Amino acid sequence: VHEISNPLSIINNYLYVLGRKIQQDGTAQEEIHTISEEIERIGRILLHAKGQHSPSDQQEETDVNELICELDRILTNSLYAAKQIKSTLLLDNSLPPLRHSADKLKQVLINLLKNAVEAMEQGGCINIVTRDNIYQEEQSFVQITIKDNGPGIPPQVLQKLFSPVVSTKEGHSGLGLVVVNKLIKELGGSISCFSNPGSGTEFNILL
């Protein structure tokens, strides 16, 4: 962890220098800012891996819709573009700010969206929906739904979806959904999945 932090610091310094050189280019400045934010997030993930807490681990007010819009902008220009994937956002404007770590929620959403992209063919669709006032056992929740029109998940895989497995995808550890499940529990929420082969996959998060 210590050694990884060193090149990250160098990259951040060079980003600052690069930003100074292209001050007049607004689009480039926005992209540099995004890269810098993601590098800082890596640093916070590394602190978490060491068992240390970063300031963002404290209870903070997180605008879920704003976080989803930011992620959609980043992924539209990167992961989605590579497969010509279209995304649709149906966001409930009445959502209250949540007292949850934005970093952890962002990590959850990135894992789920990345999995969806990797599973789909060219020209697929992803829908992200947020809803307030979902009641279960006399408690109120905010719901985040991510649905894709990919090939779906076989029943034998669905049964062990959140357990460590050997991934069928080359270069993947098979730990993405294990991490998602762990982070959701740390956020005090729950996650469920509905999928049929050939009909896509839907993840529902309650917070």
Side-chain angles (χ1 to χ4, degrees), residues 126-138:
I126 293 176
N127 295 326
I128 306 176
V129 182
T130 60
R131 290 193 296 171
D132 191 16
N133 295 321
I134 304 297
Y135 280 87
Q136 282 192 7
E137 298 179 356
E138 299 183 352

Side-chain angles (χ1 to χ4, degrees), residues 116-161:
V117 169
E118 289 170 350
M120 286 190 291
E121 301 295 332
Q122 290 282 338
C125 296
I126 293 176
N127 295 326
I128 306 176
V129 182
T130 60
R131 290 193 296 171
D132 191 16
N133 295 321
I134 304 297
Y135 280 87
Q136 282 192 7
E137 298 179 356
E138 299 183 352
Q139 280 190 299
S140 177
F141 294 87
V142 161
Q143 183 180 59
I144 305 169
T145 299
I146 297 175
K147 181 174 174 57
D148 67 60
N149 66 343
I153 301 170
Q156 66 271 20
V157 176
L158 201 57
Q159 291 174 5
K160 300 179 179 179
L161 198 61

Side-chain angles (χ1 to χ4, degrees), residues 41 44-45 48 54-64 67 98-109 183-184 186-188 207:
R41 193 165 69 87
R44 293 193 292 271
I45 291 170
H48 188 70
S54 67
S56 67
D57 283 332
Q58 306 305 316
Q59 293 299 301
E60 58 186 291
E61 286 201 344
T62 298
D63 185 324
V64 174
L67 179 61
L98 298 185
R99 287 202 163 275
H100 289 302
S101 163
D103 275 351
K104 289 180 181 178
L105 183 55
K106 191 173 186 179
Q107 203 172 338
V108 165
L109 296 176
L183 290 171
I184 289 292
E186 289 178 7
L187 291 169
L207 296 172

Side-chain angles (χ1 to χ4, degrees), residues 60-97:
E60 58 186 291
E61 286 201 344
T62 298
D63 185 324
V64 174
N65 288 343
E66 185 179 305
L67 179 61
I68 289 171
C69 287
E70 177 195 347
L71 269 181
D72 188 66
R73 177 183 63 80
I74 293 170
L75 296 179
T76 294
N77 295 320
S78 53
L79 279 180
Y80 295 169
K83 284 193 172 181
Q84 299 177 330
I85 286 169
K86 303 293 183 184
S87 63
T88 301
L89 306 184
L90 297 171
L91 307 180
D92 185 345
N93 291 326
S94 68
L95 243 63

